[in-house]
Amino acid sequence: MFLYEKNFELQKAKALENLKVALEKDLVDKDIISLLKKINSLENYFTTSSCSGRISVMQMPDFGDKLNAVWLGKWHREVELEEVLEAIGKHSEGMLWFMLHSPILHISAKTLEDAVGLLNLAISCGFKHSNIKSISHKKLVVEIRSTERMDVPLGMNGELWVSEDYLRKVVEIANLQLRRAKEKLRKLENEIERLLKA
Amino acid sequence: MFLYEKNFELQKAKALENLKVALEKDLVDKDIISLLKKINSLENYFTTSSCSGRISVMQMPDFGDKLNAVWLGKWHREVELEEVLEAIGKHSEGMLWFMLHSPILHISAKTLEDAVGLLNLAISCGFKHSNIKSISHKKLVVEIRSTERMDVPLGMNGELWVSEDYLRKVVEIANLQLRRAKEKLRKLENEIERLLKA
């Protein structure tokens, strides 16, 4: 059997310390901080990483080469067309993408039962792509994520393939999807709060 | 603890029977059949559903209403621009999307160790979004999936927002991504074959 339970307390203390430093350095998405704090208040869980959902414009030097990708614009909130156009203006080479990503949280659980409990809670809040991301002797990680997603190719090597009108529509759809995803985060936070009070 | 191990043999027999019927009805993607057979030859696993990766054109009556979505075109292989244009020609109402989805397999495992073993094998073959999808008393399911994905809005209520030139590029990128994803399937099949011979 797996031994992830063994070092849980030690790892949790370390993770909370890391989170404290990240908060001091202003590295955590504002609209997810209170959710992280609530999850960390639950005895058998701690958060290890998170993103509250984002809209972005990305330049990828070679196809699929995410390691060398450059963010030309990244927002954890709804955006204006003008902001997206400004980011696109910085594009010079490689492939240009507009993207929307669902919120994502990685949470260590103490036992398999704890992991499955959180997984099912997340799914019930609309995070349908939630799963158990990894199990090893060192850790047991639940991934909370939703289905909202857009990956739209916009151009290549400085050339833009789409019109401003098209971008306006894409931004509108992305904002709608992001809003929906953030509502799921609030729903999850309410459910975690109920657990804390119980 | 969870009791998914208890009914494994019975469930496997049932799943193999279902697969047999699906194969007779020609309902299984051709290029994934040999992989499914190899996985099912492993004692402690059986497949429950699969898609070998696909390119599609979809019409969604209301935003996000996937239940009432209509496929205007769906291909488990690389496509020609003409095929995509033909599918787009059928669009009448709601939102029109062009999509590429990674291969996806759901596989029941007998024990947690079996699940984690397969999960790690799949990740090593490039299926980086693989995970343990669910654990309950009834079942323990590994999901094998990759990162390739495109969700491109094309139009709404009969109106097309993009040019044929843009569609040509989108199709090209999607074909490239699909090819890459199918290569991962072959890599996984080779690894499963090695397990069978071991």
Side-chain angles (χ1 to χ4, degrees):
Chain A
M1 281 308 294
F2 296 101
L3 304 169
Y4 42 77
E5 239 176 286
K6 212 177 137 198
N7 295 311
F8 182 84
E9 306 304 335
L10 204 67
Q11 290 184 345
K12 178 161 184 173
K14 207 172 150 185
L16 290 185
E17 185 55 35
N18 288 346
L19 178 60
K20 200 181 147 196
V21 172
L23 285 169
E24 281 165 5
K25 289 185 179 168
D26 206 16
L27 294 174
V28 186
D29 307 346
K30 300 265 167 310
D31 58 350
I32 208 168
I33 293 175
S34 67
L35 172 59
L36 298 185
K37 286 188 174 169
K38 282 181 184 129
I39 293 170
N40 285 318
S41 298
L42 292 168
E43 199 178 342
N44 291 355
Y45 302 97
F46 62 87
T47 60
T48 56
S49 69
S50 66
C51 169
S52 70
R54 69 175 177 223
I55 291 171
S56 63
V57 174
M58 202 198 67
Q59 174 171 297
M60 209 186 268
D62 273 316
F63 183 78
D65 177 9
K66 286 189 183 158
L67 269 184
N68 293 304
V70 180
W71 303 100
L72 304 179
K74 186 160 71 166
W75 306 269
H76 294 97
R77 53 163 173 80
E78 294 179 43
V79 292
E80 302 287 335
L81 173 62
E82 288 64 35
E83 298 173 286
V84 171
L85 290 175
E86 199 190 322
I88 288 173
K90 296 178 195 158
H91 168 58
S92 57
E93 53 175 7
M95 275 224 46
L96 183 68
W97 292 85
F98 175 93
M99 297 189 293
L100 168 105
H101 285 107
S102 143
I104 183 162
L105 286 100
H106 288 162
I107 299 163
S108 280
K110 187 167 183 180
T111 71
L112 194 57
E113 282 72 13
D114 294 325
V116 172
L118 180 60
L119 172 59
N120 292 338
L121 182 71
I123 290 170
S124 77
C125 290
F127 289 96
K128 290 187 189 161
H129 279 180
S130 298
N131 59 79
I132 294 177
K133 190 178 172 58
S134 64
I135 304 180
S136 71
H137 290 300
K138 286 184 189 163
K139 57 185 181 172
L140 167 61
V141 179
V142 177
E143 176 172 87
I144 295 182
R145 68 192 298 167
S146 188
T147 49
E148 291 81 11
R149 173 134 171 203
M150 291 171 77
D151 290 76
V152 184
L154 295 185
M156 194 170 357
N157 295 330
E159 190 196 357
L160 198 62
W161 295 337
V162 295
S163 67
E164 198 172 305
D165 254 10
Y166 179 68
L167 286 169
R168 181 173 293 115
K169 272 148 183 163
V170 163
V171 164
E172 200 180 309
I173 295 167
N175 282 341
L176 184 56
Q177 292 205 357
L178 193 67
R179 208 175 313 153
R180 196 171 286 199
K182 302 258 181 189
E183 278 163 21
K184 292 179 186 174
L185 275 182
R186 282 190 288 275
K187 196 170 172 190
L188 179 63
E189 187 170 342
N190 287 340
E191 289 301 317
I192 300 280
E193 189 155 6
R194 267 159 53 132
L195 285 184
L196 279 170
K197 285 180 180 162
Chain B
M1 280 308 294
F2 296 102
L3 306 169
Y4 42 76
E5 241 177 284
K6 212 176 136 199
N7 295 312
F8 182 85
E9 306 304 335
L10 203 67
Q11 290 184 344
K12 178 162 183 170
K14 207 172 150 187
L16 291 186
E17 185 56 34
N18 288 346
L19 178 60
K20 200 181 148 195
V21 172
L23 285 169
E24 282 165 5
K25 290 186 180 168
D26 206 17
L27 293 174
V28 186
D29 306 346
K30 299 263 167 314
D31 57 351
I32 208 168
I33 293 175
S34 66
L35 172 59
L36 297 186
K37 286 188 173 168
K38 282 182 184 125
I39 293 170
N40 286 318
S41 299
L42 292 168
E43 198 179 341
N44 292 355
Y45 302 97
F46 62 88
T47 61
T48 56
S49 70
S50 67
C51 169
S52 71
R54 70 176 176 222
I55 291 170
S56 63
V57 174
M58 202 197 69
Q59 175 171 297
M60 207 184 270
D62 273 316
F63 184 77
D65 178 10
K66 285 188 184 160
L67 269 183
N68 293 304
V70 180
W71 303 100
L72 304 179
K74 187 160 72 165
W75 306 270
H76 294 97
R77 53 164 173 80
E78 295 180 42
V79 291
E80 303 287 337
L81 174 62
E82 287 65 33
E83 298 174 286
V84 171
L85 290 176
E86 199 190 321
I88 288 173
K90 296 177 195 159
H91 168 58
S92 57
E93 53 174 6
M95 275 226 44
L96 183 68
W97 291 86
F98 175 92
M99 297 190 292
L100 167 104
H101 285 108
S102 143
I104 183 162
L105 287 99
H106 288 162
I107 299 162
S108 280
K110 187 167 185 180
T111 71
L112 194 58
E113 283 72 13
D114 294 325
V116 172
L118 180 61
L119 172 61
N120 292 337
L121 182 72
I123 290 170
S124 78
C125 291
F127 289 96
K128 289 186 191 163
H129 279 181
S130 298
N131 60 78
I132 294 177
K133 191 177 170 60
S134 65
I135 304 180
S136 70
H137 289 301
K138 286 184 188 165
K139 58 185 180 173
L140 168 60
V141 180
V142 177
E143 177 172 85
I144 295 182
R145 69 190 300 168
S146 188
T147 48
E148 291 81 12
R149 171 132 173 206
M150 290 170 78
D151 290 77
V152 185
L154 295 185
M156 194 168 359
N157 295 331
E159 190 196 358
L160 197 61
W161 295 336
V162 296
S163 67
E164 197 172 307
D165 254 9
Y166 179 68
L167 286 169
R168 181 174 292 112
K169 273 150 183 161
V170 163
V171 164
E172 201 179 307
I173 296 167
N175 282 340
L176 184 56
Q177 291 206 358
L178 192 67
R179 207 176 312 151
R180 196 171 286 197
K182 302 259 181 190
E183 277 163 22
K184 292 179 187 173
L185 274 182
R186 282 190 288 277
K187 196 169 172 191
L188 179 63
E189 187 170 344
N190 288 339
E191 289 301 317
I192 300 280
E193 190 154 8
R194 268 161 50 131
L195 285 184
L196 279 171
K197 285 179 179 162

